[in-house]
Amino acid sequence: KNEVEQSPQNLTAQEGEFITINCSYSVGISALHWLQQHPGGGIVSLFMLSSGKKKHGRLIATINIQEKHSSLHITASHPRDSAVYICAVVPLSGYALNFGKGTSLLVTP
Amino acid sequence: NAGVTQTPKFQVLKTGQSMTLQCAQDMNHEYMSWYRQDPGMGLRLIHYSVGAGITDQGEVPNGYNVSRSTTEDFPLRLLSAAPSQTSVYFCASSSPGHLTDTQYFGPGTRLTVL
């Protein structure tokens, strides 16, 4: 079972700040997902990456397969971005997603 | 489309009781899965299915059963509830690339076992 490590575990930022959340994993993967979970809420898929970079609005996700690392960036952060961000990988030999423990983000006005 | 629906939203059981958590999707997805989410831990796979009539165990299957008689429905049965099964349960679906495609999650069921 590969390990998926996210950093930081908790993050507080002021509105407008640029935010970076990191995800590292230890084995070969075919893809990586970034998910968002609001307090008490369901889980929403943000990105699925197998290489390079993707952008959606103020969110940018990058992945370096060789270095086994992905980042999620939020530009011009807003209080509504406050949520838990979860990284999940698809192992090359696996049948299931392996999840990180999540990064809890609080954006204050 | 309603997406992925789960019922009930909340449930309290006594130790030893049985119940079924319902999950349905209207997107004609082949891959469906059940996860549990516990504080301080990542989501963990309980069971999954790659199509009607096909199910398999995930990381934490003990105490749970599943069946997949139709593409739309994937119920999770707790056979004899234990306090260790207190958790939030999420159902998810995806297609056509299964794990390398967008994952759609239900709203979750918060289960407490006393």
Side-chain angles (χ1 to χ4, degrees):
Chain A
K1 182 183 186 315
N2 61 299
E3 296 232 355
V4 180
E5 298 290 334
Q6 289 187 234
S7 63
Q9 281 187 306
N10 298 286
L11 180 58
T12 300
Q14 283 203 317
E15 184 173 357
E17 286 186 3
F18 180 86
I19 289 162
T20 296
I21 298 169
N22 296 297
C23 176
S24 297
Y25 49 91
S26 55
V27 297
I29 68 169
S30 57
L32 181 145
H33 294 266
W34 281 103
L35 309 167
Q36 180 191 56
Q37 184 175 25
H38 279 103
I43 300 168
V44 176
S45 177
L46 297 175
F47 295 104
M48 194 282 295
L49 294 160
S50 54
S51 65
K53 175 179 172 178
K54 285 190 177 179
K55 183 175 189 289
H56 185 258
R58 296 179 294 105
L59 301 178
I60 303 166
T62 64
I63 189 168
N64 186 318
I65 292 286
Q66 288 74 25
E67 294 189 2
K68 295 185 167 57
H69 182 268
S70 175
S71 293
L72 177 68
H73 305 286
I74 305 175
T75 62
S77 59
H78 189 276
R80 64 175 175 267
D81 297 325
S82 298
V84 175
Y85 292 85
I86 302 168
C87 170
V89 302
V90 184
L92 284 173
S93 59
Y95 53 83
L97 297 174
N98 284 338
F99 293 83
K101 294 180 181 179
T103 293
S104 181
L105 170 65
L106 176 64
V107 181
T108 58
Chain B
N1 287 348
V4 180
T5 58
Q6 288 183 240
T7 56
K9 284 191 167 51
F10 301 93
Q11 183 71 49
V12 179
L13 292 178
K14 294 181 179 177
T15 296
Q17 287 185 315
S18 63
M19 79 159 296
T20 299
L21 279 63
Q22 301 292 344
C23 174
Q25 52 89 13
D26 60 359
M27 296 172 282
N28 202 33
H29 285 173
E30 295 175 342
Y31 186 90
M32 296 185 73
S33 51
W34 275 103
Y35 299 94
R36 59 178 290 171
Q37 186 178 43
D38 300 296
M41 305 186 75
L43 287 151
R44 292 183 292 168
L45 181 68
I46 305 171
H47 285 284
Y48 70 99
S49 169
V50 297
I54 306 169
T55 64
D56 208 344
Q57 296 181 351
E59 181 187 355
V60 289
N62 291 343
Y64 308 95
N65 272 357
V66 291
S67 60
R68 185 93 180 268
S69 56
T70 66
T71 301
E72 294 77 20
D73 299 298
F74 191 42
L76 178 72
R77 296 184 190 84
L78 278 70
L79 308 172
S80 177
S84 60
Q85 293 178 304
T86 293
S87 188
V88 181
Y89 292 84
F90 289 96
C91 177
S93 73
S94 66
S95 190
H98 294 181
L99 297 177
T100 55
D101 207 339
T102 299
Q103 305 293 302
Y104 295 86
F105 288 83
T109 294
R110 187 174 295 273
L111 175 68
T112 302
V113 183
L114 303 175

